[in-house]
Amino acid sequence: FPYTTLFRSGAELEATIAVDAAVELFANIGWLKTEVDSIETFDLDLNQFVTKNDREQAKSPEYQYNLGVRIAFSDEWSSRIEVEGQDESFFGYYHDGELEGYDLLNANLSWQRGNIAVNLWGRNLTDQDYAVHALYFGADPRDDFGAWSNQTYSQLGEPRTYGIDVSYDF
């Protein structure tokens, strides 16, 4: 892409705090500031090249985070609860469509005795629909307009997922 100027700066912070012997708080936070002064791109709705000015870089959310707590209930039982998420971002330069921001809840419960470990886990426990990638183009001749109109095609992130891991160390 022919950028005239691309400005990027950011910071990351990672912290772990032991509240006591059984409770640990953690946080991972990233901040990113991007700005494309101008970029020439082909606009699929106008069917021509256009110059877009003063916009964020595609697929560059301004913030991402992961916050949570680890708890040891005993020598054998522990748990982890966390929230992860990110801000919205543009999914391309050829269209002004955005990937929406999201917040996901994840958790696990673990048991370990000797060589045996069992981990019950769940991700995206609220079953939030969120897109991780999207494209915008005309591809379906059956659309309501009777022609191949441009539409957004999104790839969704992982739905509510859960499982159990059992391991034995020899």
Side-chain angles (χ1 to χ4, degrees):
F1 292 107
Y3 298 108
T4 55
T5 304
L6 173 61
F7 168 77
R8 283 182 266 191
S9 65
E12 294 182 30
L13 172 67
E14 181 175 328
T16 303
I17 300 169
V19 176
D20 60 30
V23 178
E24 181 179 79
L25 303 175
F26 60 89
N28 303 289
I29 301 168
W31 171 79
L32 179 64
K33 180 66 178 164
T34 65
E35 183 178 321
V36 177
D37 285 343
S38 69
I39 185 170
E40 185 175 335
T41 185
F42 192 81
D43 187 302
L44 294 174
D45 290 324
L46 299 174
N47 202 28
Q48 65 185 17
F49 282 94
V50 297
T51 301
K52 297 197 176 194
N53 297 306
D54 300 321
R55 71 178 278 156
E56 295 175 2
Q57 183 176 349
K59 297 187 181 161
S60 299
E62 190 168 340
Y63 66 83
Q64 295 179 308
Y65 72 93
N66 174 266
L67 308 167
V69 61
R70 292 182 195 98
I71 302 170
F73 301 109
S74 68
D75 289 342
E76 295 178 344
W77 289 94
S78 64
S79 183
R80 175 180 168 130
I81 299 171
E82 65 184 14
V83 178
E84 67 172 291
Q86 70 178 42
D87 192 21
E88 74 272 345
S89 62
F90 289 107
F91 64 78
Y93 294 108
Y94 56 94
H95 182 258
D96 290 329
E98 292 186 1
L99 296 169
E100 293 182 12
Y102 59 83
D103 304 291
L104 306 176
L105 176 65
N106 308 315
N108 79 336
L109 178 64
S110 299
W111 174 82
Q112 183 172 352
R113 180 181 288 168
N115 295 350
I116 300 172
V118 179
N119 183 36
L120 175 64
W121 54 267
R123 293 189 296 267
N124 190 8
L125 293 173
T126 60
D127 202 22
Q128 179 178 352
D129 288 336
Y130 63 102
V132 295
H133 183 67
L135 296 172
Y136 182 77
F137 58 94
D140 189 350
R142 302 166 300 159
D143 66 29
D144 293 337
F145 301 102
W148 292 40
S149 63
N150 293 322
Q151 298 178 37
T152 300
Y153 298 89
S154 297
Q155 176 184 349
L156 295 180
E158 185 177 56
R160 178 185 301 126
T161 306
Y162 48 88
I164 187 167
D165 300 324
V166 178
S167 64
Y168 181 85
D169 290 332
F170 294 94

